[in-house]
Amino acid sequence: MKTVVPCYYHLDVEVSPERVDQVSRILAAHLRYWNLENLVEPVCHCAELLLRTIDAHATDKNTTLEMWWNGQHLITAIADIDGKSHPESATRGWLARVAALSDGWGCCATGDGGRIVWFSRRARAMERAPLVPTAPAPSLREARHAPRELPVPVLAAPVPEAPLVGAAPE
């Protein structure tokens, strides 16, 4: 049975229109590598929305993008340093689209005045390997049977040394 290995990806990028498309292709490649092809379109679309909003409204365009895959959920977080500069009308528009394309989302402020927007997508059980733990391999004691105790023949008397036949006399 196949088990799922947790995965993590981190990217620091300065957002520009051409970089948004490049980051989208990078995310798609990582999702395909993690065997999450079914999540490529919604995750890349949400990430593009967030990155284009940062590009359009933020004065500091440096941002950090992270993805975590834990076997059941893919969580993507995008942090911008200039979180206060987004107009409220633009924020409501892209957050509504992110909410529609994800299973869950959230937003929180950072200590340096920025904000982190995250969203998660769940992989359906039919589309991924089941997350049932594999049975542990048997230990050496269980795998190898102990030999049966066999009696060791006891020698009754020492065997006398016989001269070798055909040996040359000394």
Side-chain angles (χ1 to χ4, degrees):
M1 186 175 293
K2 193 172 163 185
T3 59
V4 178
V5 177
C7 301
Y8 173 77
Y9 179 69
H10 176 98
L11 177 67
D12 291 322
V13 65
E14 185 174 347
V15 180
S16 64
E18 56 276 351
R19 288 291 236 168
V20 171
D21 295 329
Q22 183 183 23
V23 169
S24 181
R25 289 191 302 273
I26 291 169
L27 294 179
H30 276 282
L31 291 171
R32 287 186 183 102
Y33 180 72
W34 295 345
N35 294 323
L36 298 171
E37 293 88 7
N38 56 333
L39 299 181
V40 168
E41 187 178 333
V43 169
C44 290
H45 187 68
C46 287
E48 282 180 21
L49 285 171
L50 297 172
L51 292 173
R52 290 194 194 282
T53 303
I54 291 170
D55 181 45
H57 300 290
T59 54
D60 186 355
K61 303 206 186 284
N62 290 319
T63 187
T64 300
L65 188 139
E66 294 178 319
M67 285 194 311
W68 297 272
W69 168 243
N70 67 5
Q72 293 179 341
H73 294 89
L74 176 79
I75 302 168
T76 307
I78 299 176
D80 64 337
I81 296 170
D82 197 15
K84 305 291 185 201
S85 67
H86 304 299
E88 196 61 35
S89 60
T91 303
R92 269 185 265 130
W94 57 261
L95 281 178
R97 283 185 271 169
V98 167
L101 290 170
S102 63
D103 294 323
W105 68 277
C107 181
C108 62
T110 62
D112 57 359
R115 99 169 108 190
I116 299 172
V117 178
W118 62 268
F119 59 92
S120 68
R121 287 290 304 206
R122 163 176 71 245
R124 306 294 187 254
M126 300 162 117
E127 299 164 348
R128 288 294 301 156
L131 296 175
V132 177
T134 58
S139 69
L140 191 56
R141 275 197 187 124
E142 294 170 0
R144 299 181 73 190
H145 298 290
R148 285 185 263 158
E149 291 186 27
L150 298 175
V152 178
V154 179
L155 297 175
V159 178
E161 290 187 30
L164 294 173
V165 179
E170 295 180 17

